[in-house]
């Protein structure tokens, strides 16, 4: 029919390697007066060659002189034809069919509409000239942008990638339309073209279309083995150059050379420590999740997992942006609504590990929840992030909030591998040839593209694959013997703290700035949950451990705790409970909260609540009353928990922790010997949790962290023991932390809990009856792993049978009076009436270590000497004491402080059985001894009471004279006991009082004794033991601390 028309045009300047990435229309690069010329030239070309089809004429437009040059004519539709359709309203495939059917252009309804005519009219159209009634062509409708979605890696110069697609999620909207050649179960293989999708965004103008496209790209979700250009295009379309349309055919290639250093990439990129933190989290969570799956599978098969299979703490190393991050990660709990926390969700703590192996004191807290699509929702630094991870041969690929972050493996230039699937087309060098850095040594084919592979270092190349070999990502193509391996650049090591990152810092800031919650029941729940988490085997930072202990005590001391507990239980009963009863209970709660009734004691309030409930059930039938109690079970529990008062409630809380501990650990102990792990797992699977492998895992995980649990258990048992041990003492400040039995320090402390235990002691709360069976069972365990806990349990059982301090003080005073009546002074014979009377007292096994200071500072000197003798006979029960001799004091000569000298045989070791606070020493090792006939060495001991170390220092010459002269070549272990009980006890200018803690006193005393080492060694002294009050123990009601300094090294008493 001789007609040809131009349906506007498209701008395809954004391309790389001469392949289009973005097309848009109508073009706005060419000036308005130039564009009609370009259309007219295209029409003339089609008419000149009698072209009868749809086609595309391509031009190259020159900005400098506003000229254009012909490139080619594509005699077909291009994949971007929807751009033209959206701005013209003409269906191009339909128009193409009509042309092939012989229908003239004037007969196409959409073309008629484009030129301002009725779609189905017969009026002739003048395509070239137009008329006043019908313009030449209606202007384009808005603007349209098309983006190709390709399986290419923008971080590697748009290198093609291949692999499976796990998820492809896109929904068309009125403004954005798209299509894909694969779905969520598809694969992009290495023999196909890299493009597998196309998006088209329309808008009123170019800016509107651009924003619509960016929104669509952000909502597009593609996950799998492949890499895509989606993120890169988003950054590219937000650049000022693209927004202002300052682009050319070379523009994208120039951006590609910048890599990840474009301004837009820097603005949208997450901070490296955040990326490293999330990457380490995902890696660790995957590990423990895999361990859980393997463990449960083995249990189901009847197999026995290894005892060290479960981990709750690990170190993860990752390299990101040439920086190596080594992070320690701890799993600190699962979600509260999960019966069996597995590790696929929960709380985690991360700390940076320095190159020297030092673990940072600062930590980052993160909460992780695994999504149904195998992604992760991570809350860290006060923000939530979504993450997807893929482990590739070249390293971990992480998609964090839509941004792809690639972690690399340790750089090894001796292994030349491929990071894409393809075929080795040609070896550019021979086997054994020398290759320079940057030299291409191979050519590979990837998705119909031939690409060179270059060496990163110089060296001799040895081929491992032959030409034509098919490769997958990670395959080793060749190895290389490096010329200069010492010059290979390695990743720098991260030396900072994670909290220096702004995106992670808010967690720490929130924790520091968070004020104490006004609601004690919430504080109690949070603190108890943290301790319960420890008993479940999770790892909790020491800072939060200590905080949980203190918060627990503070919450229990709050008089409104029971009130809020009752109020919480009443909430769900509103509308279900009798109106009058509910109103009365709420009145009790409101009066307590408003201060109208005293809430200082929990027991009265709880009793009033229980009394009101009892009044309500009086007129009910037994069945109705039982139903009422079942309905109000939570309310009854809240009130009954405090029926015995705060002190009793506090003991009950500690007892529940003991029960949690025993519930797990008894499964790994027999009555008389430890139970092997495989036997314990077998019993758990068969008898305790049949058909519940998840519960077996939970129990084994709890047992795996028994050391941290033992620490908490020792603290709990010590606190319960304090409630018995402190009976009869005046209420004073809490004692400082002490060394636990066995010499292992127990640094846990809580002033608030100690105060509650003192209250429990004053109220004589039954602290052990409910757990006596557990304590008896625990005290019989013989495994070394439970020595500390078993000893604490035995001591608690013994303490339970002991009278109170007041009763013991009265009993000791009575016996001392009896001894003084028999002999007012030290007897000259070794087994006189007074010594026998003291032996009778010692058979009663009454503890003296917390009373001796009282009797050494009260009464006359005769009483003090008697107390001193009784104490020495107590701590040396098996040494056959002899030759006791009193000296010093006001009534004795020699100018010494109150001193008692004694001798004993070296047949037995010291059986003091005292709880020692600390032991430090480094005295020179030497000495002499005297040996009695029969081979028994006779040792000499001296016990002196001083007001300060200054007084002791002045008395040292006279005290050392008390020891017999050493014989050459012989050795004897003499001992010196020093009681520093004066009001101004000091350490050569330092006061051993509240201003010094135990470590400070021990260090100062050790330094002082070190200066006396030669003199002490010359006297044959093997150890010096100091009994004194340190820190708050010097206050009324405190218990003295005992320090032992051994000759030649650190010792334990």
């Amino acid at each position: 029919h001789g007609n040809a028309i131009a349906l506007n045009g498209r701008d395809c300047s954004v391309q790389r390697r001469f392949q289009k990435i973005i097309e848009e229309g109508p073009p706005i690069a060419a000036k308005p007066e130039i564009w009609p010329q370009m259309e007219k030239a295209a029409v003339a070309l089609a008419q000149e060659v009698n072209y009868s089809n749809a086609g595309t004429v391509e031009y190259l437009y020159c900005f400098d002189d506003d000229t254009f040059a012909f490139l080619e004519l594509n005699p077909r539709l291009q994949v971007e034809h929807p751009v033209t359709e959206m701005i013209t309203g003409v269906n191009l495939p339909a128009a193409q069919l009509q042309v092939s059917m012989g229908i003239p252009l004037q007969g196409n309804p959409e073309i008629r509409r484009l030129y301002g005519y009725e779609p189905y009219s017969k009026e002739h159209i003048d395509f070239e000239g137009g008329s006043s009634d019908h313009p030449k062509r209606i202007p384009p409708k808005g603007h349209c942008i098309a983006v190709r979605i390709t399986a290419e890696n923008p971080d590697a110069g748009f290198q093609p990638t291949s692999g499976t697609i796990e998820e492809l999620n896109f929904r068309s909207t009125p403004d954005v339309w798209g299509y894909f050649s694969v779905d969520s179960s598809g694969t992009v293989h290495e023999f196909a073209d890299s493009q597998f999708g196309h998006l088209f965004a329309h808008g009123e103008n170019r800016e509107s279309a651009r924003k619509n496209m960016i929104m669509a790209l952000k909502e597009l979700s593609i996950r799998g083995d492949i890499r895509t250009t989606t993120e890169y295009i988003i950054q590219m379309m937000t650049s000022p150059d693209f927004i202002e349309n300052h682009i050319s055919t070379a523009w994208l290639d120039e951006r590609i050379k910048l890599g990840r250093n474009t301004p837009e990439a820097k603005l949208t990129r997450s901070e490296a420590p955040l990326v490293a933190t999330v990457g380490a989290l995902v890696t660790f969570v995957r590990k423990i999740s895999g361990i859980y799956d393997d463990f449960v599978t083995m249990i189901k098969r009847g197999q026995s997992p290894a005892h060290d299979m479960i981990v709750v703490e690990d170190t993860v190393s990752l390299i990101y942006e040439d920086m190596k991050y080594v992070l320690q990660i701890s799993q600190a709990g699962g979600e509260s609504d999960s019966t069996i926390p597995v590790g696929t969700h929960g709380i985690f703590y991360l700390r940076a590990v320095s190159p020297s192996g030092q673990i940072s004191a600062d930590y980052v807290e993160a909460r992780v929840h695994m999504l149904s699509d195998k992604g992760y929702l991570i809350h860290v630094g006060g923000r939530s992030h979504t993450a997807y991870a893929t482990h590739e041969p070249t390293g971990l690929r992480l998609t964090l909030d839509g941004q792809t972050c690639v972690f690399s493996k340790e750089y090894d230039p001796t292994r030349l591998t491929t990071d894409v699937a393809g075929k080795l087309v040609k070896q550019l060098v021979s086997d054994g040839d020398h290759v320079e850095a940057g030299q291409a040594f191979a050519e590979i084919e990837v998705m119909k593209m031939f690409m060179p592979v270059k060496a990163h270092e110089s060296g001799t190349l040895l081929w491992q694959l032959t030409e034509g070999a098919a490769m997958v990502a990670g395959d080793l193509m060749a190895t290389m013997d490096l010329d200069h391996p010492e010059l290979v650049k390695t990743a720098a090591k991260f030396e900072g703290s994670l909290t220096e990152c702004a995106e992670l810092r808010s967690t720490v800031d929130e924790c520091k700035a968070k004020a104490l919650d006004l609601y004690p029941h919430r504080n109690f729940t949070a603190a108890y949950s943290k301790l319960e988490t420890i008993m479940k085997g999770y790892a909790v930072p020491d800072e939060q451990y200590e905080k949980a202990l203190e918060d627990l005590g503070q919450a229990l001391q709050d008089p409104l705790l029971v009130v809020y507990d009752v109020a919480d239980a009443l909430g769900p009963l509103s509308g279900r409970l009798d109106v009058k009863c509910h109103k009365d209970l709420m009145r009790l709660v409101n009066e307590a909260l408003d201060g109208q009734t005293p809430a200082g004691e929990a027991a009265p309030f709880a009793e009033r609540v229980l009394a009101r409930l009892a009044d309500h059930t009086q007129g009910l039938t037994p069945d109705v009353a039982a139903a009422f109690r079942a309905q109000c079970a939570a309310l009854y529990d809240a009130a009954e928990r405090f029926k015995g008062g705060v002190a009793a409630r506090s003991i009950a809380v500690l007892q529940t922790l003991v029960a949690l501990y025993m519930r797990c650990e008894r499964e790994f102990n027999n009555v008389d010997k430890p139970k092997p792990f495989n036997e314990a797992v077998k019993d758990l699977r068969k008898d305790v949790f049949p058909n519940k492998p998840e519960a077996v895992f939970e129990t084994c995980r709890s047992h795996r962290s028994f050391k941290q649990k033992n620490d908490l258990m020792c603290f709990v048992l010590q606190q319960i023991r304090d409630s018995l041990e402190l009976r009869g003492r005046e209420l004073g400040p809490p004692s400082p932390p002490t060394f636990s039995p066995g010499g292992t320090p127990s640094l846990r402390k809580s002033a608030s809990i100690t105060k509650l235990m003192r209250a429990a002691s004053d109220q004589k709360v039954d602290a052990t009856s409910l757990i006596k069976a557990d304590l008896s069972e625990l005290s019989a365990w013989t495994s070394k792993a439970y020595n500390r806990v078993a000893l604490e349990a035995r001591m608690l059982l013994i303490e339970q049978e002991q009278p109170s301090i007041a009763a013991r003080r009265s009993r000791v005073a009575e016996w001392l009076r009896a001894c003084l009546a028999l002999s007012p002074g030290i007897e000259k014979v070794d087994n006189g009436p007074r010594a026998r009377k003291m032996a009778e007292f010692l058979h009663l096994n009454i503890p003296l270590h917390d009373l001796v200071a009282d009797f050494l500072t009260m009464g006359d000197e005769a009483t003090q000497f008697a107390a001193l003798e009784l104490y020495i006979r107590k701590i040396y029960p098996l040494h056959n004491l002899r030759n006791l001799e009193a000296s010093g004091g006001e009534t004795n000569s020699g100018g010494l402080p109150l001193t008692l000298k004694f001798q004993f045989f070296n047949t037995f070791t010291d059986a003091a059985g005292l709880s020692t606070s600390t032991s430090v020493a480094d005295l020179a090792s030497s000495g002499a001894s005297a040996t009695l006939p029969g081979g028994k060495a006779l040792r000499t001991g001296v016990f002196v009471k001083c007001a300060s170390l200054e007084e002791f220092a002045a008395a040292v010459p006279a005290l050392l004279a008390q020891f017999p002269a050493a014989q050459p070549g012989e050795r004897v272990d003499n001992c010196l006991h020093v009681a520093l009980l004066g009001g101004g006890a000091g350490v050569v200018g330092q006061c051993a009082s509240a201003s010094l803690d135990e470590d400070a006193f021990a260090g100062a005393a050790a330094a002082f004794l070190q200066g006396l080492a030669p003199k002490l060694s010359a006297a044959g002294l093997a150890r010096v033991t100091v009994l004194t009050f340190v820190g708050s123990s010097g206050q009324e009601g405190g218990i003295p601390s005992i320090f032992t300094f051994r000759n030649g090294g650190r010792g334990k008493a």
Side-chain angles (χ1 to χ4, degrees):
H1 302 283
N3 291 322
I5 59 173
L7 298 179
N8 213 286
R10 302 189 297 269
D11 186 338
C12 58
S13 299
V14 182
Q15 52 183 273
R16 49 98 187 98
R17 293 196 298 267
F18 309 110
Q19 291 189 342
K20 305 168 185 176
I21 296 295
I22 294 178
E23 282 200 26
E24 57 179 306
I28 60 175
K31 292 183 177 180
E33 62 271 20
I34 301 297
W35 182 247
Q37 300 177 26
M38 299 173 72
E39 289 184 318
K40 185 175 181 180
V43 169
L45 175 61
Q47 291 175 331
E48 181 68 25
V49 298
N50 295 321
Y51 186 75
S52 180
N53 199 347
T56 305
V57 176
E58 295 191 9
Y59 293 110
L60 185 65
Y61 181 77
C62 300
F63 287 102
D64 296 337
D65 53 6
D66 292 326
T67 60
F68 59 94
F70 172 77
L71 288 179
E72 64 176 343
L73 169 63
N74 287 315
R76 56 178 172 81
L77 286 181
Q78 292 185 320
V79 292
E80 282 81 10
H81 67 84
V83 173
T84 301
E85 295 179 9
M86 287 185 176
I87 63 175
T88 63
V90 177
N91 187 326
L92 292 183
Q96 191 176 26
L97 277 176
Q98 292 181 33
V99 169
S100 64
M101 295 169 60
I103 299 175
L105 294 179
Q106 300 204 24
N108 187 309
E110 294 173 343
I111 292 178
R112 295 187 65 84
R113 186 182 294 111
L114 177 64
Y115 280 83
Y117 291 85
E118 289 294 328
Y120 300 103
S121 66
K122 301 297 183 179
E123 188 176 355
H124 177 74
I125 300 176
D126 182 3
F127 289 111
E128 295 182 0
S131 65
S132 58
D133 295 334
H134 300 283
K136 186 175 181 181
R137 190 181 63 206
I138 294 177
K141 300 175 181 178
H143 197 93
C144 181
I145 299 178
V147 171
R148 293 187 180 187
I149 307 300
T150 59
E152 296 175 335
N153 183 0
D155 294 331
F158 285 80
Q159 180 175 284
T161 62
S162 60
T164 59
I165 296 178
E166 297 178 3
E167 179 193 47
L168 197 161
N169 188 3
F170 172 75
R171 292 183 179 180
S172 295
T173 67
D175 296 320
V176 182
W177 172 78
Y179 66 90
F180 293 87
S181 58
V182 294
D183 58 14
S184 295
S185 60
T187 300
V188 178
H189 57 79
E190 60 268 28
F191 306 108
D193 188 270
S194 62
Q195 181 180 356
F196 64 95
H198 221 152
L199 298 186
F200 301 86
H202 187 268
E204 295 180 358
N205 49 49
R206 185 175 185 270
E207 181 62 12
S208 176
R210 185 186 69 87
K211 291 180 178 179
N212 290 337
M213 177 60 76
I214 291 175
M215 182 63 67
L217 290 172
K218 288 182 176 180
E219 293 178 351
L220 172 64
S221 176
I222 303 174
R223 292 189 299 105
D225 297 332
I226 64 170
R227 292 288 304 276
T228 71
T229 54
T230 304
E231 303 162 32
Y232 189 90
I233 293 174
I234 292 174
Q235 296 174 3
M236 183 178 66
M237 295 184 69
T238 57
S239 68
D241 285 344
F242 188 87
I243 294 174
E244 301 297 331
N245 200 31
H246 294 161
I247 55 178
S248 66
T249 54
W251 177 72
L252 181 55
D253 288 327
E254 293 173 357
R255 285 181 60 90
I256 292 174
K257 292 178 183 179
L258 296 176
R260 296 174 60 86
N261 295 319
T262 61
E264 297 73 39
K266 292 179 180 179
L267 288 175
T268 58
R269 191 186 313 164
S270 298
E271 291 189 62
L274 172 63
V275 177
T277 297
V278 174
L281 273 171
V282 171
T283 301
F284 182 65
V285 167
R286 283 193 167 195
K287 177 178 180 177
I288 59 179
S289 180
I291 289 174
Y292 170 80
D293 293 337
D294 294 342
F295 190 100
V296 169
T297 300
M298 294 179 73
I299 294 297
K300 290 179 179 179
R301 293 175 178 173
Q303 299 171 338
S304 181
H307 73 281
D308 57 352
M309 181 177 179
I310 300 175
V311 296
V312 295
E313 193 169 69
D314 199 9
T315 300
V316 177
S317 299
L318 294 171
I319 298 176
Y320 180 67
E321 294 184 344
D322 295 327
M323 180 69 71
K324 184 175 184 179
Y325 296 84
V326 181
L327 305 180
Q328 184 194 65
I329 308 181
S330 305
Q331 185 185 9
E335 292 184 342
S336 58
D337 60 351
S338 175
T339 306
I340 310 292
V342 208
T344 56
H345 49 263
I347 304 171
F348 299 85
Y349 294 98
L350 300 92
R351 302 175 189 265
V353 181
S354 69
S356 63
Q358 185 72 27
I359 300 176
S360 172
D362 297 329
Y363 60 84
V364 168
E365 178 180 337
R367 295 176 180 269
V368 180
H369 183 83
M370 193 168 184
L371 304 176
S372 59
D373 59 357
K374 300 181 181 180
Y376 300 89
L377 179 63
I378 299 174
H379 183 83
V380 62
R383 300 175 181 85
S384 293
H385 307 271
T386 55
Y388 296 89
T390 303
H391 284 276
E392 299 177 336
T394 55
L396 174 69
R397 173 159 56 89
L398 180 73
T399 303
L400 177 61
D401 297 331
Q403 299 293 320
T404 300
C405 309
V406 179
F407 295 87
S408 59
K409 292 185 176 181
E410 291 282 359
Y411 178 52
D412 184 3
T414 65
R415 294 175 54 85
L416 304 177
T417 60
T418 175
D419 53 358
V420 294
K423 184 173 73 172
L424 178 58
V425 177
K426 187 176 182 180
Q427 297 176 349
L428 301 181
V429 297
S430 300
D431 193 62
D433 283 356
H434 186 271
V435 179
E436 296 293 337
Q439 179 183 344
F441 66 89
E443 192 174 74
I444 62 175
E445 180 185 1
V446 180
M447 290 185 168
K448 303 187 298 182
M449 294 176 58
F450 288 87
M451 305 176 62
V453 183
K454 298 179 180 180
H456 297 289
E457 306 289 341
S458 300
T460 302
L461 184 141
L462 301 173
W463 283 105
Q464 303 297 315
L465 293 179
T466 60
E467 289 185 353
M471 303 179 299
V472 296
D475 278 358
L476 178 65
M477 295 188 293
T479 59
M480 179 178 287
D481 292 333
L482 302 179
D483 292 343
H484 301 286
E486 71 280 1
L487 300 180
V488 173
K489 183 181 178 181
T490 58
K493 296 181 179 179
F494 181 71
E495 298 183 2
S497 170
L498 293 178
T499 55
E500 294 173 0
C501 171
E503 293 182 279
L504 297 172
R505 192 181 306 125
S506 59
T507 297
V508 178
D509 295 340
E510 287 171 2
C511 293
K512 290 181 178 179
K514 187 175 181 181
L516 182 66
D517 197 330
L518 297 176
Y519 302 100
H521 61 307
R522 295 180 182 174
N523 281 339
F524 172 81
T525 300
Y528 183 80
S529 297
K530 189 70 68 176
L531 300 179
E532 192 177 36
T533 292
I534 295 173
M535 284 301 184
K536 289 180 179 179
Y538 293 110
V540 175
D542 279 347
E543 176 185 328
Q544 296 210 14
Y545 193 161
E546 298 281 358
K547 185 176 184 298
L549 292 174
E550 189 61 27
D551 286 352
L552 183 72
Q554 294 284 0
L556 285 169
Q557 290 182 42
D558 196 309
L560 294 179
L561 176 60
V562 61
V563 182
Y564 280 109
D565 278 349
V566 169
D568 265 8
L570 267 175
L573 297 176
S574 178
R576 301 167 56 195
L577 199 61
D578 176 78
V579 175
K580 186 176 186 306
C581 181
H582 186 272
K583 185 176 180 180
D584 291 343
L585 292 172
M586 285 303 302
R587 177 178 52 78
L588 291 176
V589 169
N590 292 329
E591 287 177 353
L593 293 177
D594 295 339
Q596 298 178 24
T597 58
E601 292 293 335
F605 176 82
E607 290 170 356
R608 289 195 294 272
V609 172
L610 293 173
R612 181 62 187 88
L613 293 173
D615 290 344
H616 180 74
T617 58
Q618 278 185 353
L620 303 178
T621 63
D623 291 343
V624 175
F628 174 81
R629 187 173 182 88
Q631 183 184 39
C632 302
L635 183 58
Y636 275 99
D637 289 343
E640 288 174 349
R641 282 196 294 264
F642 288 89
K643 190 175 181 180
V646 170
R649 170 62 176 150
S650 304
I651 292 293
V653 170
L654 297 181
Q655 290 174 339
T656 59
L657 292 173
V658 174
L660 277 174
Y661 177 89
M662 293 299 298
R663 190 182 306 163
C664 169
E665 297 306 317
R666 66 161 46 99
E667 304 299 335
F668 298 88
N669 286 274
N670 290 315
V671 176
D672 56 343
K673 61 181 180 180
K675 184 185 293 187
F677 181 79
N678 58 346
E679 182 182 331
V681 172
K682 180 180 178 182
D683 292 343
L684 285 169
R685 178 178 59 231
K686 181 179 178 181
D687 302 326
V688 183
F689 300 115
N691 301 318
K692 293 182 179 179
E694 299 86 357
V696 176
F697 173 86
E698 185 180 12
T699 304
C700 292
R701 184 202 55 231
S702 175
H703 172 68
R704 184 76 174 89
S705 303
F706 70 89
K707 291 183 179 179
Q708 191 176 23
K709 292 169 58 179
N710 285 352
D711 181 80
L712 177 56
M713 186 67 169
C714 283
F715 171 83
V716 170
L717 294 180
Q718 287 170 3
Q719 295 301 315
I720 296 177
R721 183 153 58 91
D722 281 351
S723 71
L724 302 174
E725 192 177 63
L726 297 173
R727 289 180 182 174
R729 285 196 176 273
E730 296 294 330
L731 183 63
S735 300
T738 62
F739 267 54
S740 300
T744 303
S746 176
L747 302 178
R748 305 300 170 197
K749 57 184 178 179
S750 170
S752 58
I753 292 182
T754 301
K755 186 176 181 180
L756 287 169
M757 293 305 101
R758 290 171 181 266
S761 174
D762 292 342
Q763 298 174 23
K764 296 181 173 53
V765 176
D766 182 2
T768 58
S769 61
L770 292 179
I771 57 172
K772 191 171 184 179
D774 288 336
L775 294 175
S776 299
E777 179 184 353
L778 178 56
S779 64
W781 290 355
T782 58
S783 172
K784 290 183 179 180
Y786 298 94
N787 277 350
R788 290 176 57 205
V789 186
L791 184 54
E792 280 289 352
R794 287 194 290 272
M795 294 177 68
L796 179 53
L797 289 173
I798 293 173
E799 192 71 43
Q800 181 192 18
E801 304 300 329
Q802 297 292 340
S804 67
I805 287 179
R808 285 191 288 124
R809 185 186 291 115
S810 175
R811 194 86 174 269
V812 172
E814 178 184 346
W815 278 85
L816 287 178
R817 286 193 294 271
C819 292
L820 289 171
L822 293 173
S823 175
I826 302 295
E827 295 175 321
K828 300 299 183 181
V829 295
D830 294 332
N831 195 25
R834 172 167 159 164
R836 291 195 298 272
K837 189 68 175 177
M838 288 187 177
E840 292 179 19
F841 172 80
L842 297 179
H843 283 303
L844 299 177
N845 199 26
I846 296 177
L848 285 177
H849 68 279
D850 56 344
L851 298 177
V852 64
D854 294 342
F855 289 98
L856 289 180
T857 55
M858 61 185 292
D860 55 19
E861 284 192 352
T863 302
Q864 295 181 22
F865 272 116
L868 194 54
E869 179 185 357
L870 183 64
Y871 180 67
I872 290 174
R873 293 186 181 278
K874 173 72 174 177
I875 63 177
Y876 290 93
L878 303 175
H879 289 76
N880 197 3
L881 295 181
R882 59 170 57 190
N883 302 330
L884 274 71
E885 179 183 345
S887 60
E890 297 178 0
T891 59
N892 293 285
S893 60
L896 283 172
L898 191 141
T899 305
L900 183 62
K901 176 183 176 182
F902 56 96
Q903 291 183 312
F904 56 98
F905 291 122
N906 200 29
T907 307
F908 301 98
T909 57
D910 190 343
L914 300 180
S915 177
T916 305
S917 296
T918 187
S919 298
V920 293
D922 190 15
L923 309 180
S925 178
S926 65
S929 70
T931 305
L932 295 180
K936 294 182 179 180
L938 186 64
R939 303 167 61 185
T940 300
V942 172
F943 201 123
V944 59
K945 187 195 83 169
C946 301
S948 65
L949 270 184
E950 285 92 343
E951 183 179 357
F952 168 66
V956 165
L959 289 172
L960 296 183
Q962 301 282 322
F963 296 93
Q967 300 297 323
E970 294 183 331
R971 175 187 178 88
V972 66
D973 294 334
N974 295 327
C975 58
L976 175 63
H977 296 262
V978 183
L980 300 179
L981 301 176
V987 185
V988 192
Q990 298 188 53
C991 182
S993 62
S995 61
L996 279 183
D997 61 17
E998 290 187 338
D999 289 339
F1001 174 82
F1008 170 73
L1009 293 175
Q1010 181 64 41
L1012 299 174
K1015 296 179 180 180
L1016 300 179
S1017 297
L1021 281 170
R1023 60 185 172 89
V1024 176
T1025 299
V1026 180
L1027 181 148
T1028 188
F1029 291 97
V1030 179
S1032 58
S1033 67
Q1035 304 295 327
E1036 185 177 3
I1039 298 175
S1041 301
I1042 301 175
F1043 302 80
T1044 297
F1045 304 88
R1046 294 190 183 276
N1047 187 351
R1050 296 170 181 250
K1052 303 283 193 301

